[in-house]
C-alpha cells in the first residue's frame, strides 16, 4: 500500500483478496503496510488489485516461500527472547548472540554449573535438552518434564532466557510453558504437524536445518511456522550430510550468506553438531561470525567425559571462555558486537 493509505483502503483490499479466494497477511511496517496475498495466483491473476485506491504496487513473489522471503519483508527481523524478563535478548540486530549449555540436562548440579559458567563468559541464552531425539532407542532419552523444570529454574537463577527442543506436537504447550524458545531439531525439521503446532503456539522458535535438506526446503519449513503469527523464527545451519567422514556433518558455511539474502529471518550456526568435535568448535565459530551469522548455539558441559550424550563435542567451560574472547574480536572486525 502507498505510504499513508487509510485503514478503509487497506480493508477494501483485504476484502477483495479474500473474495478472490486468497488469504491476506497484513504486515504493518513503520513506513507502510504490505498485504501478503497467499495462494495459487494462476487461476485468477492479481494485477487488477493495483487499480484499487491506496495500492502502490502488486509484486509477484516468485519464490515458493513467501512470508519468509526478503522480497516480502525487506527489513531484517529481530527476534526477542524472554520478553520483559531479566536477561531479555534480541537476535538479528547488531549484537551477536551466543546460546550455550549442555547437550542434555542431566542433573541440577550439572546444569547450574554450566549455566553460571556460560553466563559469566558472555552467553545470552541457556540451552539444554530435556527431550533428546537420539539415533538409538537405547541411548539416554532426556529427563523430560523434570529436565524442563530444572532448565526454567536455572534460567531464572542466572538470568538467562532458555531454549530447549520439542520433539512431539503434543508436547508443544508443555515445553512452551517452561522455555523462551522452542527448538526444532534437525531430525524434525520436516515434521509438518510439529511445525504447524509450533506455528499455532505463537512462541518464538529456532528451526534447525535438517541434515538432508536444501536451503529452499528449510525456508519452506519456516513458512509452515510463520503463517498467522509473528515473525519470531530463527534459522540454524547445523551441518549437512556429505561424503566427508572426518567430521560428524559438513557445515554449509555458504548457507549463512545465502539465507541472509533470501530471508529476513535471523540465521545462527551450530558449530558443535556440525563438527562433532570440541576442538573444532572455536575455528568454525569464528568462520560463522565472519560469514555473517547472527549468533551461535554451542554445547558446553563441565565434565564432557561424563556426559550422557554427545560427549566428544561438548566444550569445557575453560575452553568456552577463551573462545568467547576470540569471537569478540571477529565480531568487531565485521561491524558487530558480542
Ligand atoms: C541439539 O541441539 O541438541 C541437537 C540434537 O541438534 P541437531 O537437532 O542439530 O542434531
Ligand atoms: Mn547434542
Amino acid at each position: 500500500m502507498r505510504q499513508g493509505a487509510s485503514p478503509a483502503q487497506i480493508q477494501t483490499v483485504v476484502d477483495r483478496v479474500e473474495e478472490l479466494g486468497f488469504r491476506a497477511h497484513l504486515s504493518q511496517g513503520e513506513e507502510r503496510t504490505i498485504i501478503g496475498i497467499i495462494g495459487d495466483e494462476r487461476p485468477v491473476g492479481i494485477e487488477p488489485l493495483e487499480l484499487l485506491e491506496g495500492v502502490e504496487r502488486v509484486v509477484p513473489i516468485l519464490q515458493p516461500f513467501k512470508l519468509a522471503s526478503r522480497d516480502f519483508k525487506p527489513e531484517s527481523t529481530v527476534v526477542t527472547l524472554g520478553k520483559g524478563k531479566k536477561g531479555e535478548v534480541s537476535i538479528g540486530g547488531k549484537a551477536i548472540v551466543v546460546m550455550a549449555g549442555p547437550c542434555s540436562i542431566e542433573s541440577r548440579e550439572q546444569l547450574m554449573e554450566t549455566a553460571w559458567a556460560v553466563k559469566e563468559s558472555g552467553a545470552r541464552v541457556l540451552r539444554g535438552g530435556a527431550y533428546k531425539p537420539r539415533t538409538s532407542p537405547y541411548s539416554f532419552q532426556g529427563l523430560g518434564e523434570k529436565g524442563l523444570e530444572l532448565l526454567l529454574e536455572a534460567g531464572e537463577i542466572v538470568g538467562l532466557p532458555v531454549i530447549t527442543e520439542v520433539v512431539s506436537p503434543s508436547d508443544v504447550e508443555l515445553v512452551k510453558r517452561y522455555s523462551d524458545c522452542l527448538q526444532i531439531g534437525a531430525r524434525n525439521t520436516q515434521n509438518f504437524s510439529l511445525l504447524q503446532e509450533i506455528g499455532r503456539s505463537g512462541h518464538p522458535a529456532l528451526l534447525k536445518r535438517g541434515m538432508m535438506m536444501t536451503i529452499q526446503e528449510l525456508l519452506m519449513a519456516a513458512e509452515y511456522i510463520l503463517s498467522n503469527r509473528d515473525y519470531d523464527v530463527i534459522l540454524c545451519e547445523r551441518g549437512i550430510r556429505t561424503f566427508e567422514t572426518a567430521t560428524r556433518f559438513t557445515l554449509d558455511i555458504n548457507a549463512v550468506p545465502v539465507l541472509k539474502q533470501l530471508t529476513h529471518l535471523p540465521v545462527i550456526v551450530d558449530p558443535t553438531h556440525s563438527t562433532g568435535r570440541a576442538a573444532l568448535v572455536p575455528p568454525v565459530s569464528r568462520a560463522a561470525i565472519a560469514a555473517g551469522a547472527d549468533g551461535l548455539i554451542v554445547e558446553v558441559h563441565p565434565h564432557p567425559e561424563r556426559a550422557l550424550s554427545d560427549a566428544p563435542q561438548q566444550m569445557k567451560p575453560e575452553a568456552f571462555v577463551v573462545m568467547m574472547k576470540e569471537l569478540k574480536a571477529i565480531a568487531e572486525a565485521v561491524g558487530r558486537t558480542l
Side-chain angles (χ1 to χ4, degrees):
M1 302 298 291
R2 276 186 229 291
Q3 223 168 336
S6 72
Q9 290 173 336
I10 294 171
Q11 193 54 49
T12 304
V13 178
V14 169
D15 290 345
R16 182 67 190 131
V17 163
E18 287 171 355
E19 249 170 57
L20 290 170
F22 299 113
R23 213 149 47 72
H25 181 281
L26 226 56
S27 125
Q28 233 112 23
E30 267 170 33
E31 305 253 302
R32 65 183 72 243
T33 297
I34 297 177
I35 303 171
I37 304 171
I38 317 225
D40 183 356
E41 69 140 342
R42 279 165 302 180
V44 197
I46 54 169
E47 291 76 14
L49 290 171
E50 213 161 76
L51 303 174
L52 294 177
E53 267 178 71
V55 175
E56 181 174 292
R57 254 181 320 142
V58 175
V59 187
I61 294 181
L62 298 174
Q63 303 282 15
F65 44 91
K66 313 284 180 201
L67 301 173
S69 150
R70 221 184 244 285
D71 296 340
F72 177 64
K73 179 176 181 288
E75 72 278 11
S76 294
T77 292
V78 176
V79 175
T80 304
L81 302 186
K83 232 174 232 162
K85 294 204 303 196
K86 191 168 79 167
E88 174 183 303
V89 65
S90 293
I91 300 148
K94 188 174 179 196
I96 305 277
V97 171
V98 178
M99 310 180 180
C103 178
S104 301
I105 299 158
E106 299 168 5
S107 68
R108 175 178 278 118
E109 300 67 45
Q110 171 246 14
L111 185 62
M112 284 310 305
E113 192 178 341
T114 318
W116 281 122
V118 300
K119 156 109 189 195
E120 277 160 19
S121 305
R124 302 290 309 275
V125 179
L126 177 64
R127 67 148 283 152
Y131 296 92
K132 298 304 300 178
R134 304 304 299 282
T135 302
S136 161
Y138 308 119
S139 304
F140 176 61
Q141 302 287 312
L143 295 182
E145 191 170 356
K146 179 75 198 149
L148 296 178
E149 285 168 12
L150 294 173
L151 183 64
L152 176 66
E153 183 195 3
E156 279 173 358
I157 292 174
V158 304
L160 290 179
V162 298
I163 179 169
T164 194
E165 181 166 351
V166 54
V167 294
S168 150
S170 58
D171 288 338
V172 169
E173 277 307 307
L174 174 79
V175 179
K176 174 181 167 177
R177 272 191 271 127
Y178 288 100
S179 76
D180 301 293
C181 188
L182 300 168
Q183 178 174 329
I184 300 135
R187 290 157 192 80
N188 258 321
T189 317
Q190 284 180 307
N191 178 342
F192 297 113
S193 49
L194 178 66
L195 299 177
Q196 279 167 328
E197 198 54 42
I198 287 175
R200 277 191 284 274
S201 79
H203 210 49
L206 174 83
L207 181 65
K208 286 192 150 191
R209 180 179 182 182
M211 55 188 91
M212 287 159 293
M213 272 167 83
T214 64
I215 289 172
Q216 179 161 310
E217 285 164 344
L218 172 64
L219 289 165
M220 293 310 288
E223 196 76 12
Y224 265 91
I225 304 177
L226 288 175
S227 331
N228 293 316
R229 56 163 287 159
D230 286 346
Y231 290 110
D232 41 7
V233 173
I234 304 161
L235 303 177
C236 179
E237 163 61 39
R238 49 78 71 205
I240 52 176
R241 275 256 150 92
T242 65
F243 54 81
E244 183 54 72
T245 53
T247 48
R248 189 173 177 191
F249 294 95
T250 299
L251 183 80
D252 180 11
I253 196 80
N254 301 351
V256 176
V258 170
L259 283 168
K260 294 298 292 181
Q261 250 174 33
L262 292 176
T263 179
H264 52 86
L265 299 172
V267 177
I268 72 165
V269 163
D270 177 342
T272 302
H273 290 87
S274 52
T275 59
R277 279 193 278 145
L280 299 178
V281 171
V284 171
S285 298
R286 296 197 293 268
I289 291 179
D294 296 301
L296 301 169
I297 182 164
V298 180
E299 287 187 349
V300 178
H301 193 294
H303 308 285
E305 69 287 353
R306 280 189 246 150
L308 298 181
S309 57
D310 284 350
Q313 67 187 30
Q314 302 206 55
M315 292 181 94
K316 291 192 177 165
E318 306 85 90
F320 183 70
V321 68
V322 174
M323 175 177 89
M324 289 294 279
K325 285 195 188 113
E326 293 166 356
L327 293 181
K328 197 168 160 37
I330 304 285
E332 282 161 11
V334 294
R336 311 286 293 259
T337 58
L338 181 76

